[in-house]
């Protein structure tokens, strides 16, 4: 792979690229062709130590800078990311296989939004003054210390920025471990932050598998862990963090409902279902993979859906006309194909797709099943691929109960022209990130995260500041101290 944005080594520590080829090699496979395009090396214990020591050493001076000074660096990094959006998008496509049509508008741009937004907030992270007669209390919003970020493979640039930007705005330092599947993009985030003036050691990136993540999470110097990943990994990481009484943010999986009432605008609902199932080839945690359609409009909805899904352009992700890319890995492709077979075997009606595409790389056709019932495997488990389940329903009460009958609670959407019903239904759905007549919008200004098994804490918005800082309260006595003796 020769590309201007290709990182020059495996790790980024203390303000510079660091290589250590004694770590386990991690091949980087381009999902569209199956070819190895480069490799990185997993962090050895010595590399993990260097990263943690740098983060620890850099943190207090970073926290002592004014918020405005910290914010200026983050905003400068946002500008650089936007200037280099094309190169960074190509790199994101190499890392993940997602089409350039998507990466040009959803990855470095989203990362830049986070850097700009939290850079803007950094100067106004203030406490409160609480008057108590003559005495008073003041509060200070302080950094937590050293934070660890651990990313999933679907949005490597965005996840590094969604975690790094609020952490750094609050005066923390970070060691970030990308998924071994997509190791490249977070290195560029580190490089750009340092080019923008970030002091060495404040944001570090190390590569590796779960073992490296585990070493970071259990280190006593670490004060907070923010993970984006699956529920099983989340449970392990949360438990390990609890052992050291560390703060956590857990952004985990979902099996989210999207409810379409019979008065909905069908084309908008179909558009929402497409965005909520086939963007990034379905590899999105908040996807509305259980599409509940009210019985009266079911066949009309399915016909329009099949017609529009037929317009997907599958092919070379670097061609900007391509709107549908491959699965991130061969393994993920096989997992998803296994779910498709289960859907067929358990009696769901295949509307379109249902096969591996006849071309190189890990492509699966966009797949829609209808007549899906609540007990089918494809309606219960997170698939993380382009497989939409359409279920039908009669009444509002019934659909709300069925939508909530899951261990997950990340997102939920409702399509209807009746706004009273829309707000009532959303009010009754157990989910953290919800949509009315839309699906999967994720602006940095809005809190993002799940309830139930889908997670703990929120990313983005002012909520993320609360999740990367803590409050110190100070009682100030103006008079004499009374004591019993
Ligand atoms: P995984 O849970 O497999 O891995 C997530 C990250 O955790 C990876 O970097 C992984 O390393 C690391 N890891 C694995 N085991 C441990 C451990 N014991 N200790 C510390 N770190 C560990 O998720 P995927 O990468 O497969 O991503 C897909 C999942 O992520 C889906 O379930 C999806 O729903 C969820 N997700 C959630 C989002 C959200 O915001 N709610 C957004 C995007 C995805 P490695 O991969 O190198 O083994």
């Amino acid at each position: 792979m020769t590309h201007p944005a290709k990182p020059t080594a495996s790790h980024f520590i203390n303000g510079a690229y660091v290589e250590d080829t004694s770590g386990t090699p991690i091949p980087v496979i381009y999902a569209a062709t199956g070819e190895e395009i480069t490799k990185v090396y997993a962090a050895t214990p010595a590399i993990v130590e260097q990263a943690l020591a740098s983060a620890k050493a850099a943190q207090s001076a970073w926290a002592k800078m004014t918020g405005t000074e910290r914010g200026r660096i983050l905003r400068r990094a946002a500008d650089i990311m936007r200037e280099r959006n094309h190169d960074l998008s190509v790199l994101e496509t190499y890392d993940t296989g997602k089409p350039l049509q998507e990466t040009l508008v959803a990855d470095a741009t989203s990362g830049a939004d986070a850097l700009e937004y939290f850079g803007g907030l950094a100067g106004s992270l203030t406490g409160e003054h609480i008057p108590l007669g003559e005495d008073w209390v003041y509060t200070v919003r302080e950094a937590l210390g050293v934070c660890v970020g651990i990313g999933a493979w679907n949005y490597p640039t965005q996840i590094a920025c969604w975690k790094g930007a609020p952490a750094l705005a609050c005066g923390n330092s970070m060691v970030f471990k990308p998924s071994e599947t997509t190791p490249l993009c977070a290195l560029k985030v580190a490089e750009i932050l340092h080019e923008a003036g970030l002091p060495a050691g404040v944001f570090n990136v190390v590569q590796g598998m779960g073992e490296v993540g585990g070493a970071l999470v259990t280190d006593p110097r670490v004060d907070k862990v923010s993970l984006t990943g699956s529920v099983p990994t989340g449970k392990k990481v949360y438990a390990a963090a609890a052992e050291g009484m560390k703060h956590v943010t857990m952004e985990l999986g979902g099996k989210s409902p999207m409810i379409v009432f019979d008065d909905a605008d069908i084309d908008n609902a179909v558009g929402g279902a497409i965005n909520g199932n086939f963007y990034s080839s379905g590899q999105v945690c908040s996807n509305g993979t259980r599409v509940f359609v009210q019985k009266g409009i079911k066949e009309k909805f399915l016909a329009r859906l099949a017609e529009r899904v037929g317009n997907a352009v599958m092919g070379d992700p670097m061609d900007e006309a391509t709107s549908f890319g491959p699965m991130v890995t061969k393994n993920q492709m096989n997992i998803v194909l296994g779910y498709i077979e289960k859907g067929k075997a358990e009696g769901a009606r295949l509307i379109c797709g249902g096969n591996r595409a006849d071309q190189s790389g890990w492509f699966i056709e966009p797949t829609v099943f209808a007549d899906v019932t609540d007990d089918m495997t494809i309606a219960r488990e997170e698939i993380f691929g382009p497989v939409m389940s359409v279920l039908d329903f009669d009444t509002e009460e019934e659909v709300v109960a069925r939508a909530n009958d899951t261990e997950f609670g990340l997102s939920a959407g409702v399509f209807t022209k009746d706004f009273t019903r829309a707000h009532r239904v959303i009010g009754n759905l157990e989910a953290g990130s919800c949509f009315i007549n839309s699906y999967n919008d994720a602006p940095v200004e809005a809190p993002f995260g799940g309830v139930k098994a889908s997670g703990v804490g929120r990313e983005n918005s002012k909520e993320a500041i609360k999740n990367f800082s803590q409050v110190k309260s100070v009682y100030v006595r103006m008079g004499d101290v009374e004591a019993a003796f």
Side-chain angles (χ1 to χ4, degrees):
M1 173 197 177
T2 49
H3 182 261
K6 184 184 166 191
T8 56
S10 299
H11 317 289
F12 196 99
I13 300 173
N14 208 22
Y17 277 108
V18 175
E19 193 53 282
D20 178 357
T21 55
S22 63
T24 308
I26 301 175
V28 183
I29 311 287
Y30 182 38
T33 60
E35 286 163 333
E36 180 176 325
I37 49 170
T38 186
K39 66 160 79 68
V40 296
Y41 296 87
T44 56
I47 289 286
V48 171
E49 176 54 35
Q50 268 185 45
L52 286 168
S54 310
K56 182 74 187 166
Q59 192 265 323
S60 61
W62 173 244
K64 285 195 174 84
M65 284 168 65
T66 68
T68 302
E69 287 167 335
R70 290 198 300 272
R72 191 177 302 135
I73 293 169
L74 300 185
R75 285 184 289 110
R76 206 178 286 142
D79 290 344
I80 299 173
M81 283 188 83
R82 288 212 179 87
E83 278 159 25
R84 298 190 194 150
N85 182 42
H86 194 274
D87 282 352
L88 295 170
S89 303
V90 170
L91 189 74
E92 175 95 18
T93 292
Y94 274 126
D95 227 2
T96 61
K98 292 185 293 181
L100 196 56
Q101 190 189 91
E102 283 188 18
T103 57
L104 281 170
V105 296
D107 293 284
T109 53
S110 164
D113 283 355
L115 290 162
E116 185 176 4
Y117 176 83
F118 289 107
L121 281 186
S124 52
L125 304 181
T126 55
E128 277 185 297
H129 170 263
I130 305 164
L132 293 165
E134 286 191 348
D135 295 350
W136 45 288
V137 167
Y138 68 94
T139 65
V140 185
R141 188 156 286 282
E142 293 188 333
L144 298 172
V146 176
C147 300
V148 162
I150 301 178
W153 39 255
N154 53 351
Y155 284 85
T157 305
Q158 184 190 82
I159 293 172
C161 293
W162 281 19
K163 296 187 188 310
L168 270 43
C170 293
N172 303 286
S173 60
M174 178 166 270
V175 179
F176 186 84
K177 189 203 83 68
S179 164
E180 71 181 274
T181 304
T182 53
L184 304 179
C185 295
L187 291 165
K188 295 306 289 187
V189 173
E191 188 190 311
I192 288 170
L193 277 165
H194 287 82
E195 193 179 330
L198 192 74
V202 174
F203 187 81
N204 309 274
V205 176
V206 297
Q207 307 296 342
M209 286 66 108
E211 213 176 79
V212 171
L216 293 171
V217 171
T218 50
D219 191 277
R221 285 166 288 191
V222 171
D223 302 285
K224 150 113 198 183
V225 180
S226 177
L227 170 84
T228 296
S230 61
V231 173
T233 303
K235 286 180 181 169
K236 277 190 229 161
V237 171
Y238 197 175
E243 196 58 39
M245 207 58 83
K246 300 175 200 294
H247 298 252
V248 295
T249 301
M250 295 281 144
E251 294 295 350
L252 309 175
K255 190 74 197 175
S256 301
M258 198 191 109
I259 301 172
V260 185
F261 285 97
D262 59 10
D263 65 339
D265 179 296
I266 298 258
D267 256 304
N268 283 337
V270 166
I274 289 172
N275 289 344
N277 281 270
F278 299 130
Y279 204 72
S280 303
S281 299
Q283 302 166 115
V284 180
C285 51
S286 50
N287 272 356
T289 47
R290 291 183 296 146
V291 180
F292 291 92
V293 181
Q294 205 160 15
K295 271 191 188 140
I297 55 162
K298 173 179 145 184
E299 292 307 329
K300 200 171 159 197
F301 178 90
L302 287 171
R304 187 70 183 120
L305 179 64
E307 192 184 330
R308 285 183 57 181
V309 172
N311 296 332
V313 180
M314 195 187 311
D316 175 5
M318 294 297 176
D319 179 345
E320 280 185 50
T322 297
S323 57
F324 188 82
M327 296 288 93
V328 71
T329 58
K330 189 175 183 186
N331 185 41
Q332 187 62 17
M333 177 185 74
N334 287 331
I335 291 170
V336 175
L337 289 172
Y339 276 111
I340 291 174
E341 288 315 308
K342 276 190 188 144
K344 292 176 185 168
E346 291 178 17
R349 171 163 60 112
L350 189 63
I351 300 292
C352 56
N355 298 297
R356 180 174 178 182
D358 186 18
Q359 61 186 90
S360 66
W362 323 130
F363 288 86
I364 297 177
E365 296 165 346
T367 298
V368 177
F369 282 108
D371 302 339
V372 176
T373 54
D374 297 345
D375 54 342
M376 288 182 188
T377 311
I378 55 169
R380 301 218 66 80
E381 296 182 15
E382 182 181 47
I383 299 175
F384 227 59
V387 183
M388 184 194 304
S389 293
V390 179
L391 307 92
D392 31 76
F393 72 94
D394 289 303
T395 68
E396 178 184 321
E397 196 183 9
E398 167 212 336
V399 77
V400 167
R402 289 170 59 200
N404 285 337
D405 183 20
T406 168
E407 64 165 323
F408 300 108
L410 185 49
S411 294
V414 55
F415 280 81
T416 176
K417 291 200 183 95
D418 177 346
F419 261 70
T420 310
R421 172 160 64 189
H423 292 291
R424 186 172 59 233
V425 168
I426 287 293
N428 287 323
L429 289 173
E430 296 161 0
S433 303
C434 298
F435 309 93
I436 293 176
N437 292 332
S438 190
Y439 206 89
N440 260 357
D441 315 76
V444 67
E445 297 86 350
F448 180 79
V451 303
K452 294 157 76 179
S454 291
V456 174
R458 293 291 177 269
E459 297 203 294
N460 288 343
S461 76
K462 291 178 195 156
E463 289 297 314
I465 295 293
K466 292 186 199 154
N467 284 260
F468 276 107
S469 60
Q470 57 197 342
V471 170
K472 173 183 278 177
S473 85
V474 182
Y475 189 104
V476 180
R477 183 173 295 283
M478 302 299 284
D480 295 332
V481 174
E482 275 182 34
F485 54 88

